Amino acid sequence: MNTPLSWLRDYVPGLDVTDQEYRDGMTLSGTKVENYSRRDKNLEKIIVGEVLDVQQHPDADKLVVCQVNTGTETIQIVTGAPNVFKGAKVPVVLVGGKVAGSAHDEGPAPEEGYKIKEGKLRGIESFGMMCSIDELGSDVNFYPEADPDGIYIFPEDTEVGADAVELLGLHDTVVEYEVTSNRVDCYSIIGIAREAAATFGKEFKPPVVKETGNSENVNDFVKVEVQAPDLCPRYTARLVRNIKVEPSPKWMQHRLGAAGIRPINNIVDITNFVMLEYGQPMHAFDFDKVAGGKIVVRRAKDGDKFVTLDGQERNLDHDVLMICDGEKEIGIAGIMGGENSMITDDAKNLLFEAATFNGTNIRKSAKRIGLRTDASGIFEKGLDPRNAEDAMNRACQLIEELGAGEVVGGIVDVKEPIPELKRIKFEPDRINALLGTSYTADEMIAVFEKEELVYDKANEEIVIPSFRQDLIGNCDLAEEVARFKGYDKIPTTLPGGNAMGGLGLKNRVEQKARETAEMCGFSQAYFYSFESPKVFDKLNLPEDSKERQAIKISNPLGEDFSVMRTISVNGMLNCLANNYNHRNPEVKLYELGNIYVADSLPLTDYPDERMQFTLGFYGEGDFFTMKGAVEEFFNSVGMKKKREYDPEAGKSFLHPGRQALVKYDGQTIGYLGEVHPAVCANYDIKTRVYIAVIDMPAMMGFVSFDHKYEGIAKFPAVTRDLSMLVPKNVLAGQIETIFAQRGGKILEDIKLFDIYEGEQVTEGFKSVAYSLTFRAKDRTLEDNDVNGAMKKILNGLQSLGIELRS
């Protein structure tokens, strides 16, 4: 939203602050000023001059020598302007003055502008410069009467010596705001002016709209039927006869130009002016092209096509709201009118439209048909239905004031019941408690009155005006008090209450995952949730793999981001590959992110979003390094039971002999292993890579932060070492399960301290050595206790084909 300060001062008399003071004050009161710019920056000593004589330059075909009256003297200026003539009134920069740009320099203008000096052009002295609009730092599009290839020519009756910058409306500041979508009232000059008046303690004087129209009744000539009241809760229309399409007055052109809108003609400019002033988009139809004098507001039909004002054919569907006459469509509601009802120079009668449309529908329609306009950008935020009539009457008033036509009396107004004004219970104590302040009720009411919020003393309620749709509760009233009394006035206080906060179980487990990974040397990474379908082939997933059942994005950024990921490994491998190809010798990464698993495709319900704890590394380390990190995580979240690692994981993207499913209490909760060399090659990684993926929802039922601490052991431990010949197909986990099951309560600890395969070991076997620690909590163990446990253990080991080494 851009607003000229000169326009605001019309409605806030006495707003005599500097540009910087205005920026600071408005930003601190909640209407954030992004930037501001002086339109007359680098414009100095520029007056209106009259060309008294024009002579051809003796040594240059494209230059002329002019004698120019500045009001106090006659000076000589050499120019190449093709449109200069005797008697022309032109902007003249005197010697020592400045202009914002130069017609002779194609590069960007310097920050300080161009200073005009005495000089010679082809031997002829020149004492100033005649200017084009571009050289004055503006744009020829905002001055329709300007010659795009020459200097600017003022009207014949312009006073010689007058301030040319003033006459062009350039003594002004344009302010750019960052307006949040809930403050739709601030998408208007009146809304910003109301905020400025409240901020600087000035009186707010909105434009006075007078009654307009002749003695006729527009309802006798125009009929409106709204067939989709859910999409158009209010539609107003007025008729103007005998219109005169001509340029709008200079003051209106300057206002529109300062706000960044190109003046076109008085009719179009009035609708744009009112849109800026009231924040209510309007549209004008050629009434003689409206069949039957009837307006029908209805949904389009699937497959319909419509040509808009810009000459483009648009494809429609039943969710697009259309403005139609008795026979055809004549406009897309809230977006753009049709070519078949546009106002031309031959138009005699026009129909003004000001309506309220469903904001969500307008936004969706604009996206579907590929056409977003200034009007749709405002409508989509949800307008105040009461504003339509005020804007309509303001437009008709301008029609009469500018002599642009004869307004027919009355107004066509088709509307749903307008909701009553909201009321919020006024509770000063709650507001003070929320802010930590001690303002009196009268001080708060004074703030509300500046914003046109009315205090109903009888009911102790604040009545909210319809244009403040953002105010819905007591906290909003507290915000109004805070921002206009000053955020800097709020004292520093500690929060009250005695509630003890803390993280929930899910967040605590995720926090432990981060702490464990970082303790083990892993760094956190973030990967996209959107992936390419080619990922499945890179991971060598079978055609019937469930991971290939991915949810497709309806409007993807491209094929590389067209499906929701069903497996977290691709992001990890991409990141590791990027690091590897940048020659980082050793990288450890982890991610906490969701995968998206659909029950069925196409979707009939929300997908299952499953948090995955993914670790990956290359460099120093192996399978057991990764297993150690996983074990450390399980220990940190209180999963005390023995974890099982099933080598029959069946993951096609992992090395067939170096992978395992992670199981806990019989349930699979993840997997880990070395990435298959072929998959590494697909990612252009020429080293061994190890990954682990823990399915967080699957393990949540097993975690516990209820720790039970035991005292230091009072009785001595007994240690037994076992050296065994173990068949190669027997896993260490199976051996340890035998130890745990048969060692009884006195078995305190198990440590694997040696594994050996070589010439001294029988073929098909491996040498494995364990140290077993026994201890009783209530007594000193005797040989019989330990020997009995060892006998049970040895019997169990024999069932696995294990032999003791001699």
Side-chain angles (χ1 to χ4, degrees):
M1 179 70 190
N2 295 341
T3 64
L5 278 184
S6 61
W7 198 347
L8 290 178
R9 289 189 172 105
D10 286 351
Y11 308 142
V12 189
L15 186 61
D16 53 356
V17 294
T18 66
D19 295 344
Q20 188 62 47
E21 287 172 342
Y22 179 83
R23 176 180 188 169
D24 294 344
M26 293 294 282
T27 299
L28 288 174
S29 68
T31 307
K32 183 182 179 184
V33 175
E34 281 286 295
N35 195 11
Y36 68 86
S37 59
R38 289 290 308 178
R39 301 193 73 206
D40 57 2
K41 181 181 179 182
N42 295 326
L43 301 182
E44 298 177 8
K45 298 179 70 174
I46 304 177
I47 53 90
V48 177
E50 181 181 10
V51 180
L52 301 178
D53 184 51
V54 181
Q55 298 293 331
Q56 181 65 45
H57 193 291
D59 295 323
D61 293 340
K62 294 185 178 181
L63 297 179
V64 293
V65 182
C66 302
Q67 305 301 317
V68 182
N69 174 21
T70 65
T72 58
E73 61 177 332
T74 299
I75 62 175
Q76 179 172 285
I77 298 177
V78 180
T79 181
N83 63 329
V84 66
F85 59 89
K86 182 179 179 180
K89 304 284 183 68
V90 298
V92 175
V93 191
L94 303 176
V95 172
K98 281 185 177 182
V99 288
S102 170
H104 310 296
D105 191 344
E106 296 182 357
E111 180 66 22
E112 66 277 6
Y114 293 93
K115 192 167 186 177
I116 304 303
K117 303 176 183 178
E118 296 180 16
K120 290 184 178 181
L121 276 76
R122 290 291 185 93
I124 302 297
E125 291 184 318
S126 183
F127 300 93
M129 172 181 168
M130 290 182 275
C131 304
S132 67
I133 285 297
D134 291 336
E135 290 163 337
L136 294 172
S138 191
D139 190 325
V140 70
N141 288 321
F142 300 140
Y143 294 85
E145 73 280 8
D147 187 332
D149 300 317
I151 58 176
Y152 184 82
I153 308 295
F154 285 106
E156 293 182 6
D157 59 353
T158 305
E159 178 187 353
V160 176
D163 184 347
V165 179
E166 176 68 27
L167 294 174
L168 291 169
L170 295 175
H171 283 315
D172 202 355
T173 300
V174 177
V175 184
E176 179 186 354
Y177 306 86
E178 179 186 306
V179 181
T180 54
S181 58
N182 66 326
R183 289 302 306 271
V184 67
D185 59 303
C186 287
Y187 284 89
S188 67
I189 299 292
I190 288 177
I192 295 292
R194 189 181 287 113
E195 289 288 305
T199 297
F200 296 102
K202 305 296 182 180
E203 183 181 4
F204 170 59
K205 289 188 174 182
V208 178
V209 181
K210 301 176 183 177
E211 185 177 348
T212 56
N214 58 22
S215 58
E216 297 177 297
N217 188 338
V218 66
N219 289 279
D220 296 334
F221 308 101
V222 179
K223 302 298 180 185
V224 173
E225 179 185 350
V226 178
Q227 296 181 0
D230 57 322
L231 302 183
C232 178
R234 189 172 194 184
Y235 191 98
T236 66
R238 293 194 72 174
L239 180 62
V240 181
R241 287 205 181 109
N242 303 317
I243 64 170
K244 300 175 184 177
V245 180
E246 56 190 11
S248 53
K250 295 298 180 192
W251 66 266
M252 182 174 284
Q253 290 186 19
H254 293 165
R255 288 282 165 81
L256 293 174
I261 294 182
R262 180 172 65 92
I264 297 176
N265 59 50
N266 53 353
I267 303 301
V268 175
D269 291 353
I270 284 172
T271 61
N272 286 332
F273 185 89
V274 172
M275 180 177 72
L276 290 173
E277 189 176 52
Y278 277 79
Q280 171 67 55
M282 299 186 64
H283 189 69
F285 300 102
D286 185 339
F287 184 65
D288 296 326
K289 297 177 182 178
V290 177
K294 183 177 182 180
I295 293 292
V296 179
V297 184
R298 62 168 176 80
R299 294 174 182 267
K301 298 175 183 176
D302 288 332
D304 281 357
K305 297 183 183 298
F306 182 71
V307 179
T308 47
L309 278 172
D310 56 3
Q312 300 295 312
E313 186 177 72
R314 310 290 176 178
N315 297 317
L316 311 176
D317 60 45
H318 72 284
D319 287 325
V320 178
L321 189 66
M322 299 298 295
I323 308 299
C324 311
D325 61 16
E327 300 174 354
K328 60 188 180 299
E329 296 94 345
I330 58 174
I332 304 177
I335 300 176
M336 185 177 281
E339 192 176 49
N340 56 6
S341 62
M342 65 184 296
I343 301 293
T344 64
D345 292 342
D346 299 326
K348 300 299 182 185
N349 306 296
L350 69 82
L351 183 69
F352 266 138
E353 163 198 283
T356 304
F357 301 116
N358 180 284
T360 302
N361 176 261
I362 295 298
R363 177 165 177 77
K364 289 182 177 179
S365 297
K367 291 187 70 175
R368 279 199 302 276
I369 67 176
L371 177 61
R372 195 167 189 269
T373 60
D374 290 339
S376 69
I378 296 176
F379 273 122
E380 68 189 25
K381 292 171 176 63
L383 297 186
D384 171 16
R386 287 178 168 83
N387 198 36
E389 183 177 359
D390 295 339
M392 174 66 76
N393 292 334
R394 173 64 165 160
C396 290
Q397 178 187 18
L398 290 171
I399 287 285
E400 290 190 349
E401 289 179 355
L402 302 185
E406 178 189 358
V407 180
V408 174
I411 183 172
V412 180
D413 190 0
V414 178
K415 61 189 176 186
E416 293 295 289
I418 296 178
E420 294 292 326
L421 295 180
K422 293 195 295 283
R423 291 170 171 264
I424 300 175
K425 189 72 174 177
F426 180 44
E427 300 174 279
D429 292 340
R430 285 190 64 189
I431 292 175
N432 278 324
L434 186 62
L435 298 178
T437 55
S438 56
Y439 296 126
T440 65
D442 290 340
E443 287 179 298
M444 296 180 189
I445 291 170
V447 170
F448 299 149
E449 289 176 346
K450 288 195 299 184
E451 302 181 85
E452 300 181 30
L453 279 63
V454 179
Y455 175 50
D456 181 351
K457 187 175 182 179
N459 295 307
E460 295 186 342
E461 293 176 327
I462 302 297
V463 183
I464 309 301
S466 59
F467 58 80
R468 288 302 301 273
Q469 299 182 34
D470 60 307
L471 302 182
I472 57 177
N474 217 272
C475 58
D476 298 311
L477 295 182
E479 182 184 10
E480 299 307 295
V481 173
R483 68 192 188 97
F484 286 116
K485 295 297 287 185
Y487 289 110
D488 57 324
K489 304 295 193 303
I490 299 176
T492 301
T493 57
L494 292 172
N498 55 9
M500 298 297 291
L503 295 175
L505 180 61
K506 177 178 178 293
N507 289 334
R508 290 182 70 186
V509 172
E510 291 177 9
Q511 185 181 58
K512 282 295 182 184
R514 294 187 187 94
E515 291 175 357
T516 303
E518 289 164 13
M519 181 189 69
C520 294
F522 291 79
S523 299
Q524 187 166 14
Y526 294 91
F527 309 130
Y528 290 115
S529 293
F530 301 156
E531 292 185 331
S532 167
K534 298 176 183 177
V535 165
F536 307 128
D537 293 331
K538 289 181 72 174
L539 292 174
N540 289 348
L541 291 175
E543 289 298 325
D544 60 350
S545 171
K546 65 178 181 180
E547 284 85 0
R548 289 183 178 268
Q549 306 304 309
I551 302 164
K552 294 182 179 180
I553 307 301
S554 59
N555 56 341
L557 297 174
E559 185 183 5
D560 288 345
F561 302 95
S562 61
V563 298
M564 303 292 288
R565 69 174 183 173
T566 56
I567 186 170
S568 62
V569 174
N570 174 65
M572 178 63 70
L573 291 179
N574 272 328
C575 196
L576 291 174
N578 188 45
N579 278 276
Y580 177 79
N581 288 302
H582 281 79
R583 304 197 178 190
N584 290 330
E586 183 177 352
V587 175
K588 288 185 173 182
L589 299 174
Y590 78 93
E591 182 211 21
L592 281 166
N594 287 337
I595 60 171
Y596 303 85
V597 182
D599 288 337
S600 61
L601 292 176
L603 283 177
T604 57
D605 200 356
Y606 292 113
D608 184 11
E609 300 184 23
R610 302 187 70 83
M611 176 66 71
Q612 306 290 289
F613 178 31
T614 307
L615 302 106
F617 78 86
Y618 67 81
E620 185 178 350
D622 55 17
F623 177 93
F624 297 103
T625 306
M626 181 64 81
K627 181 183 175 186
V630 171
E631 286 287 303
E632 189 67 36
F633 169 55
F634 291 149
N635 291 334
S636 71
V637 294
M639 297 172 65
K640 299 185 182 301
K641 289 185 180 180
K642 184 71 177 175
R643 273 78 65 177
E644 297 178 18
Y645 292 85
D646 182 358
E648 302 300 325
K651 301 294 182 183
S652 58
F653 49 86
L654 296 180
H655 194 295
R658 299 167 189 164
Q659 59 175 289
L661 293 178
V662 185
K663 294 186 176 182
Y664 190 87
D665 207 14
Q667 182 174 333
T668 300
I669 58 175
Y671 57 87
L672 76 160
E674 179 184 329
V675 177
H676 197 292
V679 174
C680 284
N682 291 341
Y683 286 87
D684 198 21
I685 304 176
K686 299 174 182 178
T687 188
R688 293 186 176 186
V689 178
Y690 299 90
I691 62 168
V693 179
I694 306 302
D695 187 32
M696 301 289 267
M699 59 167 282
M700 288 300 293
F702 305 122
V703 303
S704 173
F705 291 99
D706 297 330
H707 300 292
K708 182 179 180 181
Y709 295 94
E710 297 182 354
I712 298 174
K714 297 179 180 179
F715 300 96
V718 177
T719 302
R720 292 283 191 272
D721 290 344
L722 282 178
S723 181
M724 302 170 285
L725 284 174
V726 180
K728 284 189 176 181
N729 63 341
V730 175
L731 305 177
Q734 294 174 275
I735 298 173
E736 292 173 8
T737 300
I738 296 292
F739 290 158
Q741 290 175 346
R742 295 175 175 258
K745 294 181 179 180
I746 62 173
L747 180 61
E748 182 181 73
D749 192 24
I750 304 168
K751 287 185 179 178
L752 173 66
F753 66 85
D754 184 56
I755 297 179
Y756 174 74
E757 294 182 43
E759 295 180 357
Q760 299 176 0
V761 178
T762 305
E763 186 176 351
F765 285 80
K766 56 189 174 183
S767 175
V768 179
Y770 276 93
S771 178
L772 306 181
T773 302
F774 298 89
R775 190 196 307 266
K777 296 179 181 179
D778 56 350
R779 60 191 171 88
T780 298
L781 290 176
E782 298 179 356
D783 286 343
N784 291 337
D785 298 320
V786 178
N787 291 337
M790 287 297 297
K791 185 176 180 180
K792 293 179 181 178
I793 289 173
L794 293 174
N795 289 337
L797 294 175
Q798 288 177 359
S799 66
L800 297 176
I802 297 173
E803 301 175 7
L804 288 180
R805 294 191 68 182
S806 57

